[in-house]
Amino acid sequence: MLASRLITRTAARSAFIKQSSLPTIVSPSTRWRRGYASQAEEKDLVIIGGGVAGYVAAIKAGQEGLKVTCIEKRGALGGTCLNVGCIPSKSLLNNSHMYHSILHDTKNRGIDVGDVKLNLDAMMKAKDTSVSGLTKGIEFLFKKNGVEYIKGTGTFASENEIKVALNDGGETSVVGKNILIATGSESTPFPGLEFDEERVITSTGALALKKVPESMIVIGGGIIGLEMGSVWSRLGAKVTVVEFLNQIGGPGMDNEVAKTIQKLLKKQGMEFKLGTKVVSGDKTGEKIKLEVDSAKGGKPETLDAEVVLVAIGRRPYTAGLGLENIGLELDDRGRVVIDSEYRTKHSHIRCIGDCTFGPMLAHKAEEEAVAAVEYIKKGYGHVNYGVIPSVMYTHPEVAWVGQNEQELKDANIPYKVGNFPFSANSRAKTNLDTDGMVKMLADPETDRLLGCHIVGPNAGEMIAEATLALEYGASTEDIARTCHAHPTLAEAFKEAAMATYSKAIHY
């Protein structure tokens, strides 16, 4: 029995050698060799991409005792999220909010402020310091968990071999029993408006403007556009958001919540043109001109601004991977086709994160990273795609998890609703920060929580409680009967649950 298994493995390895571009191996004990100065050891897992999906998978695999190599061409780990996305944007959102609050929200708090000035260079430096510290932290975790980190661009040479064009020049090659594609996404371009990251910008350019523009048009009223638009609005720019749909916030945001946050952002100075499409753009003049029209047609208009932020979404990034070399499929949206265990048509090649199906969220990518490694190591893994929270870090914040009211209506699912405003919450009142509400949706028969939607202070932190409740199948009565500390903003969450299954106390 043992002898037959050994013969099978030897035959399998011989077959791989024949189809690989690697030189023939002289003896079974000899390490894999390549036509370079050093030897290439076969890894248990090779990961292409060092963003959130890739680096989390690398660390998890290292913790599981696998021999891991992670290839990243940026020269810094963390991907879009850490370098030009989630992390730097939160730095600017937080610090611009502080600046805006000092300018407009101190008198009622008994704080007299003198001459307040914006030092944009220092604000950008604080952002960069946060990013560099976190990036170095990931490199430390790689070393701690025995992960090999290669800075370069990886391309499939065969189903098990990745050739890497090194950032410092030259090339190398890595062989893996398992390959994980985690190359992320890029900003979707707008036809006719070429990005220069100074006047026509993506979110990357919005994080690095050298001065506050007098005016800014944001094409796209989703989370990225609203977050970055709010940063520059707070710092003094006149910001206009142009959105094709009749609602801001993008898919998943509850209609009632979307209307609430739009009113609050408008109160802060942002303008909105909903149900409006951008027909064309011209950046040859001193200002960029956009021709816009009603989404239904019939109301043409010309808008102009110093800077235009294109935030119409992101698309999978697979350029240069050499997927055609191994016959991997992409769907009509450029996503790598996978099964429920993240496997491509080649079962040892998996794909996770933004370059495949599902919401393009960093925390979704993290969950998939852990699950994919568990599938490789243990044969099982788990991600509950029905319980992935979303957060928009404007002020007030917006957060939600589970189903929204419109989705339930469209699916003919019965539900009951409970609301509680922050204006009735004692902590929000003492903080002089009472805009927004907590909204819960539950099954009318079982009282099981179906969804939670929050617009208000610290919504992004509070949504974790709703996520946990959904994951464990809690009822709104379960939540309401769980003691919450007083005075806290989280009491609004409890009271919304009380309002759903019975009646709130303080409203």
Side-chain angles (χ1 to χ4, degrees):
M1 183 73 171
L2 179 59
S4 66
R5 286 185 179 179
L6 287 172
I7 291 168
T8 302
R9 286 183 179 178
T10 304
R13 175 156 288 191
S14 298
F16 166 66
I17 294 167
K18 289 177 182 178
Q19 72 174 10
S20 171
S21 62
L22 297 174
T24 303
I25 291 176
V26 176
S27 69
S29 62
T30 306
R31 283 186 174 185
W32 294 94
R33 296 184 183 276
R34 51 189 165 86
Y36 305 97
S38 59
Q39 295 176 331
E41 177 188 18
E42 184 182 29
K43 298 288 183 173
D44 295 314
L45 177 62
V46 176
I47 301 169
I48 309 175
V52 173
Y55 88 69
V56 170
I59 292 169
K60 178 65 176 177
Q63 291 172 345
E64 292 289 344
L66 301 179
K67 293 178 181 177
V68 193
T69 293
C70 183
I71 303 164
E72 169 55 52
K73 73 176 185 177
R74 188 187 296 270
L77 295 168
T80 295
C81 174
L82 199 158
N83 290 278
V84 288
C86 320
I87 300 303
S89 68
K90 300 310 158 298
S91 174
L92 291 185
L93 280 159
N94 181 66
N95 293 336
S96 65
H97 173 59
M98 290 178 67
Y99 172 72
H100 190 265
S101 295
I102 292 169
L103 282 178
H104 304 288
D105 192 30
T106 58
K107 190 174 289 187
N108 293 335
R109 299 175 185 274
I111 304 171
D112 292 327
V113 178
D115 189 22
V116 180
K117 294 181 180 178
L118 171 66
N119 186 333
L120 187 60
D121 289 341
M123 188 176 284
M124 291 295 179
K125 185 177 180 180
K127 172 206 68 173
D128 294 339
T129 300
S130 301
V131 170
S132 61
L134 288 167
T135 298
K136 289 173 184 174
I138 298 171
E139 288 193 33
F140 167 76
L141 291 172
F142 269 23
K143 291 176 183 177
K144 179 182 175 182
N145 292 285
V147 177
E148 180 186 27
Y149 171 30
I150 298 178
K151 297 180 181 181
T153 302
T155 303
F156 279 97
S158 71
E159 293 173 18
N160 289 80
E161 181 190 0
I162 307 297
K163 287 187 176 179
V164 186
L166 299 172
N167 289 357
D168 292 337
E171 60 179 22
T172 187
S173 184
V174 189
V175 176
K177 296 175 186 175
N178 296 282
I179 311 289
L180 186 62
I181 301 169
T183 48
S185 60
E186 63 181 350
S187 295
T188 302
F190 188 88
L193 282 175
E194 186 179 344
F195 296 133
D196 56 27
E197 299 299 7
E198 292 181 355
R199 300 177 72 219
V200 179
I201 61 175
T202 65
S203 55
T204 299
L207 292 166
L209 292 178
K210 294 179 172 58
K211 69 181 186 70
V212 178
E214 181 183 322
S215 55
M216 173 184 284
I217 294 173
V218 179
I219 305 177
I223 290 177
I224 294 174
L226 294 175
E227 284 186 354
M228 297 316 304
S230 70
V231 165
W232 294 104
S233 174
R234 293 169 189 169
L235 297 180
K238 179 185 176 184
V239 175
T240 302
V241 178
V242 180
E243 169 57 47
F244 182 79
L245 301 176
N246 291 314
Q247 172 186 311
I248 65 170
M253 187 179 286
D254 185 86
N255 290 357
E256 183 181 4
V257 168
K259 290 175 183 176
T260 301
I261 188 62
Q262 184 183 339
K263 288 178 184 176
L264 295 173
L265 292 176
K266 188 170 183 178
K267 188 178 175 183
Q268 294 172 21
M270 294 176 68
E271 294 295 327
F272 296 89
K273 288 188 172 293
L274 305 185
T276 304
K277 62 181 177 181
V278 178
V279 179
S280 63
D282 180 7
K283 63 175 189 176
T284 57
E286 190 174 323
K287 286 191 174 182
I288 302 165
K289 293 185 183 296
L290 298 182
E291 297 297 323
V292 303
D293 198 350
S294 167
K296 295 180 180 179
K299 294 183 180 179
E301 186 181 356
T302 301
L303 305 177
D304 61 56
E306 190 176 339
V307 172
V308 171
L309 166 60
V310 178
I312 57 175
R314 298 183 65 82
R315 63 185 184 183
Y317 183 79
T318 57
L321 260 180
L323 299 183
E324 66 281 1
N325 298 338
I326 55 171
L328 278 194
E329 309 164 66
L330 300 178
D331 72 355
D332 57 357
R333 293 169 61 181
R335 299 175 297 190
V336 177
V337 177
I338 57 171
D339 67 11
S340 60
E341 296 183 10
Y342 313 109
R343 295 175 298 198
T344 65
K345 64 185 290 186
H346 305 300
S347 60
H348 68 288
I349 302 176
R350 287 177 161 86
C351 182
I352 58 174
D354 283 7
C355 54
T356 189
F357 307 108
M360 291 183 174
L361 297 170
H363 42 282
K364 172 259 194 186
E366 287 190 53
E367 297 301 311
E368 290 183 337
V370 172
V373 171
E374 288 177 335
Y375 276 121
I376 292 169
K377 178 71 176 180
K378 304 174 182 178
Y380 59 84
H382 170 74
V383 177
N384 185 349
Y385 289 95
V387 188
I388 295 178
S390 294
V391 184
M392 185 169 79
Y393 296 89
T394 50
H395 189 87
E397 293 180 349
V398 182
W400 66 91
V401 66
Q403 294 172 291
N404 64 43
E405 196 167 353
Q406 192 58 47
E407 288 170 341
L408 294 172
K409 284 180 181 177
D410 292 344
N412 293 317
I413 297 174
Y415 65 93
K416 56 182 179 178
V417 184
N419 284 284
F420 190 82
F422 281 103
S423 59
N425 174 265
S426 56
R427 185 64 187 275
K429 278 184 171 293
T430 59
N431 290 349
L432 301 182
D433 197 0
T434 58
D435 288 330
M437 63 176 176
V438 180
K439 176 179 181 177
M440 287 191 181
L441 304 165
D443 186 289
E445 291 187 18
T446 66
D447 189 39
R448 183 169 178 164
L449 184 67
L450 299 175
C452 181
H453 304 265
I454 308 173
V455 52
N458 281 30
E461 303 292 341
M462 205 179 303
I463 203 64
E465 187 174 356
T467 305
L468 190 63
L470 272 172
E471 185 66 47
Y472 282 90
S475 67
T476 59
E477 184 176 355
D478 289 332
I479 298 167
R481 292 189 181 278
T482 301
C483 186
H484 287 62
H486 174 78
T488 59
L489 296 170
E491 286 180 292
F493 183 79
K494 173 181 176 173
E495 294 257 21
M498 295 178 76
T500 308
Y501 95 92
S502 180
K503 291 184 177 181
I505 296 295
H506 293 95
Y507 183 66

